[in-house]
Amino acid sequence: MIACLRLFTALCLAALLAACASSPSSSLGELPRTPDASIEQLLEQASQAKTPEKAALLRLSAADLAYRQGNAGQSAQILQQVPIEQLKPGQQIFANTLAAELAMTRNQPKAALTALSHPSLQKLGEMPEEQQVRTGTVHARALEADGQTLAAARERIFIAPMLQGEAASKNHEAIWTLIASLPTDQLQPNTTDDLGGWMGLAQAVKTAGTLEQQQAAIDTWRAQNPKHPAAINLPLPLTKLKELASQPLSKIALLLPQDGQLAAVGKALREGFMAAHYQAQQAGQKPPAIEFYDSSKLTSMDEFYRKAQADGVQLVVGPLEKPLVKQLSTRPQLPITTLALNYSEGDQGPAQLFQFGLAAEDEAREVSRRARADGLHRAAIMVPKGEWGDRVLRAFSQDWQANGGSIVATERVDQPVQLAQQIADMFQLRQSEARAKSLQNAAGTNVAAQPSRRQDIEFIFLAATPQQAQQIKPTLNFQYAGDVPVYATSHVYSASGDVNQYNDMNGIRFCETPWLLEANDPLRQQVTAQWPQAAGSLGRLYAMGVDAYRLAPRLGQLKALPDSRIEGQSGSLGMTQTQRVVRQLPWAQFVSGQVQRLPDTPR
């Protein structure tokens, strides 16, 4: 009887192992697969296994099952018990793929990429397609999260032929999303493979100026690449783009102030707008006619719209003045579609109103996005006292906390003489000094003690002028906090070329418009040659003017394709459901008195 039971147990164990493993080849080793057993049963069998190899295989299967059931913590604990370096190559691939998947659940793409750099991955091509797809998918996700967009797209293109059904469709759309997010200068369709085709399609769409030209560019590309996966199955955003009703834009009203306090701002916007218009003409396009209106002389918006309608205007760009934008936002509807160059306070507005501006709130949210991408969780905040600082603080705090971040300290900067005390309070240096003094008194002798700062601040969000930042960064260094990363809005950057000023801010990371970071852009070079002030801080307004022109014919596109973006001179432009154009910006850092471009934030 006992012998029968032993035989039965042995048969059960053999069956369980067979259910937990598949064998691509004897040299690569058996692979775990989802078994007909619970995690507890697998671990129990592992503890009774006669060989270390069988025990490792069972634990690997248990770790995988825990991950598939959504228990990443348990999966990681079990995986730690598996001696990965003692496994065969195929099993190492499986284990490192699982380790990468677990790292991604913790938002640690670099850890995932480290796991996927194991030497065993060189044999991935010998593995079953199911494993190649699984490894390739997590590799693509990790690369994307790490900001390696092109490499992520290449990985997804590699696994595409192995996919079917919904998985194939999702991967197909993901490839387009990745390729479409690449800057134009990285789109180099100089190969005849699938990647080259994807790049050619993205380049064709991005370099086309109007909706009609985009549609024509898509048709031309499909005719030239009939067997490409994207020609056979056009990505959904491009399908929607082609479905948009095409209404040629023949006349635009540019409504900006020519007198008063905002005249200089209006002038920069107008010159940027017209520079983009002339560039379109030089490129052989047939841009709409531009009619100029002076908002500083308006008596009423109703009268303006009546005149604009009589003049045949189809789209209004402006006004700039916030009270006028607020007035428009409260109306039930507008006679002409309008792209206002400022924002109203509320979120709602008529269907014909779109809003675009250089909102500091966009930059605050950009800092939040960047810090999250860099794996940071605990922030301290320094903003100026006043209404502007409050708005920036609110925008950052809402986005940061909504995405799981915490705020451990906040200081409102005002008088320079108070700065050292404010930073000391933020980092609790006075408490440290008091403890040192107490120790000295207790010891009855001098005690050498350097004040220590609090350690729970991972970075500082800074919104400040260049002059304020010049004082803040050296004070941080003096107050034993020079190693704390500082993430700032563009307001710290004067674009003056002042090396001494930049040296005072060494180490500060800041978001900025492409216009001020990409000096070799052809349009920027043309504009700055004619208007040198466009190379300085006023350049942001020139960039906004350029983007207002480029947005004008594509408002319908952004509205119809919520996930689509326009790579502009003031940032990467998208649109919210409330028809506000919002920006994502590139990044730079002050290094040795110079401005050094940083990799873009993953989207």
Side-chain angles (χ1 to χ4, degrees):
M1 180 68 178
I2 293 174
C4 290
L5 285 173
R6 285 176 177 168
L7 177 60
F8 179 73
T9 302
L11 289 172
C12 287
L13 178 58
L16 186 58
L17 284 170
C20 295
S22 61
S23 180
S25 74
S26 58
S27 63
L28 293 178
E30 295 178 326
L31 291 187
R33 64 186 181 198
T34 305
D36 295 326
S38 68
I39 296 170
E40 292 72 20
Q41 288 173 324
L42 290 170
L43 294 176
E44 176 67 21
Q45 293 293 346
S47 66
Q48 298 175 6
K50 293 183 178 179
T51 66
E53 292 80 6
K54 290 180 179 179
L57 191 63
L58 283 161
R59 289 193 176 96
L60 198 52
S61 187
D64 183 53
L65 182 58
Y67 171 73
R68 291 176 183 271
Q69 291 178 353
N71 195 334
Q74 184 184 23
S75 177
Q77 289 177 351
I78 298 171
L79 188 60
Q80 287 178 347
Q81 301 172 29
V82 178
I84 294 178
E85 295 308 318
Q86 297 176 21
L87 301 176
K88 289 188 175 182
Q91 297 165 345
Q92 290 178 332
I93 291 172
F94 187 97
N96 281 295
T97 298
L98 177 57
E101 290 168 332
L102 291 170
M104 290 304 295
T105 66
R106 302 188 298 270
N107 192 28
Q108 295 177 340
K110 291 189 184 301
L113 293 174
T114 298
L116 295 172
S117 65
H118 191 273
S120 62
L121 271 293
Q122 295 177 5
K123 295 181 177 292
L124 180 61
E126 302 175 33
M127 300 291 285
E129 283 193 353
E130 181 183 358
Q131 184 61 48
Q132 291 187 51
V133 166
R134 182 173 177 179
T135 303
T137 300
V138 70
H139 196 187
R141 289 172 51 217
L143 288 166
E144 180 181 2
D146 194 49
Q148 300 183 54
T149 306
L150 180 56
R154 188 179 284 113
E155 193 69 34
R156 287 195 175 276
I157 290 169
F158 174 75
I159 65 173
M162 307 179 205
L163 297 170
Q164 294 180 343
E166 184 179 356
S169 297
K170 286 183 177 179
N171 189 67
H172 188 75
E173 297 299 328
I175 293 171
W176 171 249
T177 300
L178 290 165
I179 295 293
S181 69
L182 288 170
T184 305
D185 60 359
Q186 291 186 29
L187 295 173
Q188 299 175 357
N190 47 16
T191 59
T192 57
D193 58 4
D194 281 355
L195 176 60
W198 281 107
M199 286 191 165
L201 176 58
Q203 186 183 64
V205 173
K206 285 193 172 193
T207 54
T210 66
L211 190 58
E212 295 80 5
Q213 290 168 337
Q214 284 181 319
Q215 292 172 348
I218 292 170
D219 291 338
T220 300
W221 180 88
R222 293 183 84 176
Q224 294 171 345
N225 302 270
K227 295 183 179 180
H228 191 277
I232 297 169
N233 182 17
L234 197 65
L236 185 59
L238 299 187
T239 302
K240 289 184 177 180
L241 189 65
K242 286 182 64 63
E243 292 171 355
L244 286 174
S246 178
Q247 297 180 346
L249 192 59
S250 59
K251 182 174 276 193
I252 294 175
L254 186 57
L255 177 64
L256 290 170
Q258 297 179 20
D259 293 308
Q261 292 183 335
L262 292 175
V265 175
K267 181 174 182 291
L269 289 168
R270 185 165 51 252
E271 288 171 349
F273 189 92
M274 294 309 298
H277 177 75
Y278 295 137
Q279 184 190 48
Q281 284 183 329
Q282 292 168 3
Q285 300 175 19
K286 295 181 180 179
I290 311 298
E291 193 82 23
F292 297 99
Y293 298 83
D294 185 358
S295 61
S296 60
K297 291 184 169 58
L298 279 183
T299 54
S300 82
M301 286 301 298
D302 290 327
E303 183 180 334
F304 159 74
Y305 277 120
R306 281 194 293 270
K307 186 173 189 328
Q309 282 181 310
D311 292 341
V313 167
Q314 296 165 291
L315 176 74
V316 176
V317 176
L320 168 66
E321 298 89 334
K322 202 172 188 72
L324 292 178
V325 178
K326 182 178 179 181
Q327 181 190 135
L328 295 181
S329 70
T330 61
R331 298 191 175 197
Q333 61 181 15
L334 301 179
I336 305 174
T337 299
T338 300
L339 174 62
L341 299 180
N342 212 324
Y343 297 101
S344 62
E345 298 298 335
D347 286 335
Q348 299 304 316
Q352 300 81 12
L353 179 63
F354 298 83
Q355 300 175 53
F356 171 49
L358 302 180
E361 290 90 337
D362 281 350
E363 300 191 16
R365 287 184 283 268
E366 176 64 37
V367 172
S368 171
R369 193 170 69 94
R370 179 69 178 212
R372 287 198 308 276
D374 288 349
L376 303 176
H377 303 91
R378 295 185 298 277
I381 301 174
M382 298 188 75
V383 296
K385 278 188 177 179
E387 186 268 339
W388 184 86
D390 290 343
R391 285 196 290 113
V392 174
L393 171 63
R394 184 164 54 250
F396 174 82
S397 300
Q398 288 175 349
D399 191 83
W400 182 247
Q401 292 174 324
N403 286 281
S406 63
I407 297 169
V408 296
T410 301
E411 289 290 340
R412 289 175 170 82
V413 179
D414 188 15
Q415 299 299 323
V417 294
Q418 299 173 347
L419 188 58
Q421 181 64 49
Q422 286 182 297
I423 291 176
D425 290 344
M426 174 182 285
F427 285 95
Q428 299 177 349
L429 288 171
R430 297 295 176 258
Q431 291 92 318
S432 173
E433 291 171 352
R435 286 193 297 272
K437 188 173 182 179
S438 176
L439 178 62
Q440 183 172 299
N441 291 337
T445 183
N446 289 332
V447 177
Q450 177 176 299
S452 61
R453 64 170 178 83
R454 64 190 297 177
Q455 297 298 312
D456 59 342
I457 295 176
E458 292 183 334
F459 77 101
I460 296 171
F461 164 51
L462 175 64
T465 65
Q467 293 73 28
Q468 290 171 324
Q470 270 187 280
Q471 296 175 320
I472 289 170
K473 190 61 172 75
T475 305
L476 286 169
N477 297 340
F478 182 75
Q479 299 278 26
Y480 310 101
D483 60 332
V484 178
V486 178
Y487 289 66
T489 61
S490 68
H491 306 89
V492 301
Y493 182 44
S494 64
S496 63
D498 185 340
V499 174
N500 291 328
Q501 184 184 73
Y502 297 173
N503 265 321
D504 287 339
M505 295 187 283
N506 276 339
I508 292 181
R509 302 165 173 86
F510 62 96
C511 56
E512 184 50 87
T513 59
W515 181 274
L516 289 183
L517 293 182
E518 297 173 5
N520 294 326
D521 180 84
L523 179 59
R524 182 189 189 274
Q525 290 179 331
Q526 289 181 21
V527 170
T528 54
Q530 185 169 355
W531 298 295
Q533 67 271 23
S537 58
L538 268 178
R540 299 182 184 107
L541 294 170
Y542 281 85
M544 180 180 165
V546 170
D547 286 352
Y549 180 85
R550 293 176 176 173
L551 277 168
R554 301 171 79 172
L555 295 172
Q557 170 193 341
L558 290 177
K559 184 176 180 179
L561 305 173
D563 294 331
S564 65
R565 307 195 69 81
I566 295 175
E567 300 306 317
Q569 293 288 354
S570 64
S572 176
L573 309 177
M575 186 180 290
T576 68
Q577 291 182 342
T578 55
Q579 300 186 173
R580 291 176 174 234
V581 177
V582 291
R583 300 177 299 141
Q584 294 179 354
L585 290 91
W587 281 79
Q589 185 173 18
F590 294 110
V591 178
S592 301
Q594 302 295 319
V595 174
Q596 187 176 99
R597 181 75 180 262
L598 296 175
D600 289 342
T601 310
R603 289 181 187 159

